Amino acid sequence: MTEWVTGNVVQVKHWTESLFSLIVHAPVDPFTAGQFAKLRLEINGEKIQRAYSYVNAPRNDNLEFYLVTVPEGKLSPPLHALTPGDTLMVTKEAAGFFVLDEIPSCENLWMLATGTGLGPYLSILDQGEGLQRFQQIVLVHAARFAQDLSYLPQILELQQRYNGKLRVQTVVSREQAPGSLTGRIPTLIADGSLEEAVDLRLEAENSHVMLCGNPQMVRDTQKMLKDSRSMLKNFKHKPGHMTSEHYW
């Protein structure tokens, strides 16, 4: 049975009208970078819960979640309305297998994210454990507009920390922005633009791709990589080349 604990909101970061981050203090169990928790509010007598990845490294007591407000959503608008001092419920134990222990060894690790799917990668990179076995790491964050690249300053700080091992590329789909590619991730892989931008080949022989974010992006990228690069989904008992997050 799921055990819930009370979380206290200590900060709300409003990135745009719809993107925000919650920072919460709660007595949760230790978790592994890349995992997620569920947040819950009681709304009109109904307990509403959703899964959200931890953005913070496990060693950080400030539990951070990156969210987008869905106007017709049951939970995200009330979460967006929270202020410091408010409370919400958090699952005591984290879940999920979007962690480095599930990734087969390879030369190049590609972390592809759209929108708030960036969260688990920030947790993994900030924690920094288990990344020594990869020669190069590529982090790609795609959003609709440049203003939606909320964590870009933190990403660039991480890039400096990794001293040449971490290659960063931003993508926007609805405008031209300096330093960003324009389009969708699967298209930019298919036409070679992404590989050219980061100066690294994405090949089954030496690469593994992690995918998190918009389900359509995940499906389209998996299909394209399977058809054009002979890359297969990764399973615990059958290692492959692509790992994606599935919340439940």
Side-chain angles (χ1 to χ4, degrees):
M1 185 175 178
T2 302
E3 185 177 355
W4 295 83
V5 295
T6 299
N8 296 292
V9 177
V10 296
Q11 186 181 357
V12 184
K13 300 178 184 178
H14 296 281
W15 303 107
T16 66
E17 289 185 0
S18 58
L19 289 168
F20 66 104
S21 296
L22 290 175
I23 297 180
V24 177
H25 286 171
V28 298
D29 290 341
F31 66 94
T32 302
Q35 289 191 303
F36 63 85
K38 290 183 179 179
L39 306 182
R40 187 179 78 188
L41 290 174
E42 186 168 329
I43 304 167
N44 298 324
E46 183 182 3
K47 293 177 179 177
I48 309 295
Q49 64 190 50
R50 298 286 185 272
Y52 300 99
S53 293
Y54 283 108
V55 174
N56 60 290
R59 64 174 178 273
N60 189 340
D61 291 333
N62 288 325
L63 308 180
E64 187 163 355
F65 304 94
Y66 184 30
L67 299 85
V68 61
T69 302
V70 180
E72 66 276 13
K74 287 187 175 183
L75 185 59
S76 59
L79 287 175
H80 198 179
L82 292 175
T83 59
D86 289 337
T87 61
L88 73 170
M89 302 305 292
V90 185
T91 47
K92 192 173 193 296
E93 185 177 355
F97 299 98
F98 200 65
V99 297
L100 290 182
D101 284 350
E102 299 292 324
I103 306 300
S105 292
C106 62
E107 290 181 19
N108 304 322
L109 179 63
W110 295 70
M111 299 175 164
L112 309 184
T114 57
T116 58
L118 177 69
Y121 301 132
L122 293 176
S123 181
I124 290 168
L125 290 166
D126 193 18
Q127 186 71 2
E129 296 176 356
L131 292 168
Q132 298 82 2
R133 59 193 173 102
F134 306 108
Q135 293 182 17
Q136 295 289 327
I137 303 165
V138 179
L139 175 63
V140 178
H141 186 208
R144 294 180 302 169
F145 301 100
Q147 68 170 4
D148 300 331
L149 301 170
S150 312
Y151 284 87
L152 185 56
Q154 182 175 333
I155 291 171
L156 296 178
E157 287 179 8
L158 286 167
Q159 188 176 31
Q160 291 294 317
R161 187 197 306 178
Y162 280 89
N163 195 27
K165 182 171 181 172
L166 175 62
R167 307 185 188 197
V168 171
Q169 182 61 53
T170 54
V171 176
V172 292
S173 60
R174 299 190 182 181
E175 66 178 358
Q176 301 281 336
S180 294
L181 295 175
T182 304
R184 297 182 67 242
I185 286 177
T187 304
L188 295 170
I189 297 174
D191 67 13
S193 299
L194 180 58
E195 290 162 293
E196 181 179 356
V198 300
D199 193 25
L200 199 67
R201 290 288 297 164
L202 176 52
E203 300 171 325
E205 291 74 19
N206 61 9
S207 302
H208 193 94
V209 179
M210 300 177 74
L211 296 151
C212 191
N214 183 283
Q216 192 63 54
M217 180 279 291
V218 173
R219 288 191 293 269
D220 291 348
T221 303
Q222 286 176 332
K223 184 178 187 307
M224 188 274 301
L225 290 175
K226 179 182 178 182
D227 293 346
S228 66
R229 310 291 173 98
S230 300
M231 301 183 85
L232 303 174
K233 289 185 180 181
N234 182 49
F235 297 99
K236 196 172 190 67
H237 302 295
K238 189 178 180 182
H241 315 95
M242 300 181 290
T243 298
S244 59
E245 177 59 289
H246 298 283
Y247 298 110
W248 63 84

